[in-house]
């Protein structure tokens, strides 16, 4: 038997609000299954379970804000007997939720009936079950709200903001995200001795390769330059292993076998997230592109997974197709390197003793000096640049 | 279908791939990247969505012709 606890979904996370259960007592679960949704400063995150078993008991109530490590559910491992305390295990019945509310605020009326998994929303506004529950309790008409969550979803905090006669005690989700970014970036700049190496790279071969490749293909098979960058950075990280992993305070650098490449995605409402493309090292270029499209779509819809938020091993932040030419980025802790790529610019470039117009990008590698030195950073950039010269090998 | 129908479809798909955009606030001349903040992945997702819904295959060189609702409804009227 094990207690499934509130996971940490980032170095700066202290607590999360449970907004949806996707399992109920009696359900079988497998390692990697998404079992619940938690609202954090970085939006709604799907959390996964890391063992096989059967859900014995749900301990945490919807809508409650719980610290990292708080018990959420009891999960019975395969082949284990239920604990003696549960004399007559009736897995179909939900347990009585704990009565000690984590804060002194009066908790909303408990729902009268057990809550089965809610039916998929049809034409109703997108909102978490906890937000709906709170809206009912506070008398807020949810259809009049405009969600501020990723994907426009209505969050618990939006409901609380809209509640009549309630002081807006809690900052909005956008302010919350700003605070989360502030905490992570301050920690990065305070604890990671960054150093930076830059190189300007001719991307005309890559652009020509993509134009040629994409011309005959339907839209869903086209590949963007950004996917080549992510693929090249992934292969470079697999080669220069000292850029790929985590730095843990009391253990030092812990390299990672897998390359889980984080992709920085800017949100229109402000802020950004950098979910990881899990095991990008084993993907083809087409799979990398498909994975990035999926990550962007789920980021916009507010449906990222906990593992994607915490298990990135290096991050790529690309400014896209227009905009500034270079970026010196801040490493996303506990990672040890970040690849910043500016937008392509047309510049005079020397090719075989002649000056010709070429599209170039400036790559800036930010690296952790506790873990690596200039030589290794230069090697990473050389591998990346070489791959951009022969994009057909990516 | 009329240009207005295409405009409505374009806006619906635009707001599906970018759910934080309120369709009522989108102007006819708003540029999907410069004004509405779509990135290149969002634009590709929009092109895929239009392809799935209307069967229109918009090549990359034509992307500037769907950059605003007005341009897009005109382009879709001519090419669907």
């Amino acid at each position: 038997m094990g207690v499934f606890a509130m996971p940490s979904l980032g170095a700066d996370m202290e607590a999360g609000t449970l907004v949806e259960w996707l399992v109920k007592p009696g359900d079988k679960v497998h390692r990697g299954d998404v079992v619940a949704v938690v609202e954090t400063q970085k939006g709604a995150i799907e959390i996964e379970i890391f063992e096989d078993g059967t859900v014995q008991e749900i301990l945490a109530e919807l809508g409650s804000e719980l610290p990292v490590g708080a018990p959420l559910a009891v999960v019975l491992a395969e082949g284990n007997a239920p604990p003696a305390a549960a004399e007559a295990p009736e897995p179909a019945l939900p347990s009585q939720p704990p009565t000690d509310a984590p804060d002194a605020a009066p908790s909303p009326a408990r729902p009268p009936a057990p809550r089965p998994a809610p039916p998929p929303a049809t034409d109703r506004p997108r909102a978490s079950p906890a937000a709906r529950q709170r809206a009912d309790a506070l008398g807020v008409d949810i259809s009049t709200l405009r969600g501020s969550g990723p994907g426009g979803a209505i969050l618990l905090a939006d409901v609380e903001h809209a509640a009549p006669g309630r002081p807006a005690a809690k900052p909005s989700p956008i302010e919350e995200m700003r605070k989360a970014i502030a905490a992570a970036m301050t920690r990065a700049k305070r604890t990671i001795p960054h150093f930076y190496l830059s190189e300007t790279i001719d991307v005309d071969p890559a652009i020509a390769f993509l134009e040629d490749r994409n011309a005959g293909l339907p839209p869903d098979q086209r590949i963007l330059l950004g996917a080549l960058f992510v693929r090249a950075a992934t292969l470079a990280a697999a080669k220069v292993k000292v850029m790929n992993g985590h730095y843990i305070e009391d253990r030092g650098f812990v390299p990672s076998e897998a390359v889980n490449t984080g992709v920085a995605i800017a949100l229109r409402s402000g802020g950004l997230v950098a979910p990881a493309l899990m095991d990008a090292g084993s993907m083809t270029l087409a799979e990398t592109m498909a994975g990035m499209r999926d990550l962007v779509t789920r980021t916009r819809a507010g449906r990222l997974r906990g593992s994607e938020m915490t298990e990135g091993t290096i991050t790529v932040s690309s400014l896209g197709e227009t905009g500034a030419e270079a970026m010196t980025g801040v490493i996303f802790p506990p990672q040890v390197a970040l690849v910043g790529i500016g937008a392509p610019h047309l510049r005079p470039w020397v090719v075989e003793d002649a000056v010709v117009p070429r599209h170039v990008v400036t790559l800036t590698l930010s690296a952790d000096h506790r873990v690596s030195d200039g030589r290794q950073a230069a090697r990473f950039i050389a591998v990346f640049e070489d791959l951009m010269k022969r994009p057909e090998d990516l | 279908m009329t240009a207005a129908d295409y405009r409505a479809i374009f806006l619906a798909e635009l707001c599906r791939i970018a759910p934080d955009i309120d369709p009522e606030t989108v102007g006819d001349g708003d540029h999907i990247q410069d004004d509405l903040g779509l990135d290149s992945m969002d634009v590709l997702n929009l092109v895929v969505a239009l392809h799935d819904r209307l069967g229109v295959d918009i090549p990359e060189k034509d992307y500037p012709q769907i950059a605003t609702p007005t341009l897009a409804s005109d382009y879709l009227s001519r090419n669907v």
Side-chain angles (χ1 to χ4, degrees), chain A residues 146 151-152 210-211 214 217-220 222-224 265 268-269 289 292-293 296-297 300-301 321, chain B residues 17-22 33 36-42 44-45 47-48 51 57-60 63:
Chain A
R146 179 146 179 80
L210 288 181
E211 275 177 4
N214 290 344
L217 291 177
D220 63 354
R222 290 176 196 161
I223 286 177
L224 297 176
I265 299 168
R268 269 176 294 275
S269 55
M289 178 66 196
M292 288 170 67
R293 269 184 63 201
V296 170
T297 303
R300 304 276 183 243
E321 287 169 7
Chain B
I17 58 116
D20 49 337
I21 292 176
D22 179 354
Q33 287 179 283
L36 302 178
L38 265 61
D39 65 19
S40 50
M41 194 69 77
D42 294 324
L44 179 62
N45 279 336
V47 169
V48 171
H51 179 255
D57 194 350
I58 306 170
E60 286 184 324
Y63 288 1

Side-chain angles (χ1 to χ4, degrees), chain A residues 7-26:
Chain A
S8 171
L9 300 171
D12 43 301
M13 171 174 160
E14 289 171 356
T17 303
L18 182 70
V19 294
E20 189 171 357
W21 274 112
L22 300 170
V23 292
K24 56 186 187 309

Side-chain angles (χ1 to χ4, degrees), chain A residues 248-323:
Chain A
I248 314 285
E249 275 321 316
D250 48 0
R251 290 172 66 194
F253 178 55
V254 181
S256 171
E257 249 330 290
V259 184
N260 302 331
T261 310
V263 181
I265 299 168
L267 303 175
R268 269 176 294 275
S269 55
L272 79 166
V273 289
L277 198 56
M278 299 300 285
D279 203 13
S282 69
M283 291 180 177
T284 63
L285 177 60
E287 287 165 350
T288 301
M289 178 66 196
M292 288 170 67
R293 269 184 63 201
D294 175 53
L295 274 187
V296 170
T297 303
R298 285 191 292 112
T299 299
R300 304 276 183 243
R303 282 291 177 176
L304 293 171
R305 297 188 193 111
S307 55
E308 292 166 337
M309 299 300 288
T310 54
E311 293 176 26
T313 56
I314 183 169
T315 294
V316 176
S317 184
S318 165
L319 291 179
E321 287 169 7
T322 55

Side-chain angles (χ1 to χ4, degrees), chain B:
Chain B
M1 269 196 278
T2 65
D5 295 332
Y6 285 120
R7 183 186 183 281
I9 289 172
F10 179 78
L11 263 189
E13 294 303 331
L14 174 72
C15 295
R16 203 189 307 274
I17 58 116
D20 49 337
I21 292 176
D22 179 354
E24 312 214 327
T25 65
V26 177
D28 283 338
D30 282 357
H31 192 286
I32 55 175
Q33 287 179 283
D34 299 343
D35 296 317
L36 302 178
L38 265 61
D39 65 19
S40 50
M41 194 69 77
D42 294 324
V43 173
L44 179 62
N45 279 336
L46 177 60
V47 169
V48 171
L50 293 171
H51 179 255
D52 290 348
R53 179 132 172 206
L54 298 169
V56 61
D57 194 350
I58 306 170
E60 286 184 324
K61 66 175 171 52
D62 288 355
Y63 288 1
Q65 297 185 52
I66 58 159
T68 69
T70 299
L71 285 170
S73 56
D74 184 47
Y75 180 88
L76 294 173
S77 308
R78 282 183 283 116
N79 287 281
V80 172

Side-chain angles (χ1 to χ4, degrees), chain A residues 311-394:
Chain A
E311 293 176 26
T313 56
I314 183 169
T315 294
V316 176
S317 184
S318 165
L319 291 179
E321 287 169 7
T322 55
E325 69 177 25
M327 172 180 50
T328 305
V330 181
I331 297 170
F332 188 59
Q335 296 169 25
V336 297
L338 178 128
V339 183
I341 301 172
H345 282 65
L346 194 59
R347 295 280 186 261
W349 203 247
V350 178
V351 179
E352 290 166 5
D353 291 338
V355 178
V356 294
R358 282 285 169 106
H359 290 91
V360 297
V361 298
T362 301
L363 176 154
T364 303
L365 177 66
S366 306
D368 184 337
H369 224 329
R370 296 173 299 185
V371 178
S372 62
D373 306 303
R375 256 176 86 93
Q376 293 143 327
R379 168 100 178 107
F380 181 98
I381 291 174
V383 173
F384 185 102
E385 181 169 21
D386 182 52
L387 287 166
M388 294 312 291
K389 282 182 191 149
R390 39 185 190 92
E392 58 285 351
D393 292 341
L394 281 168

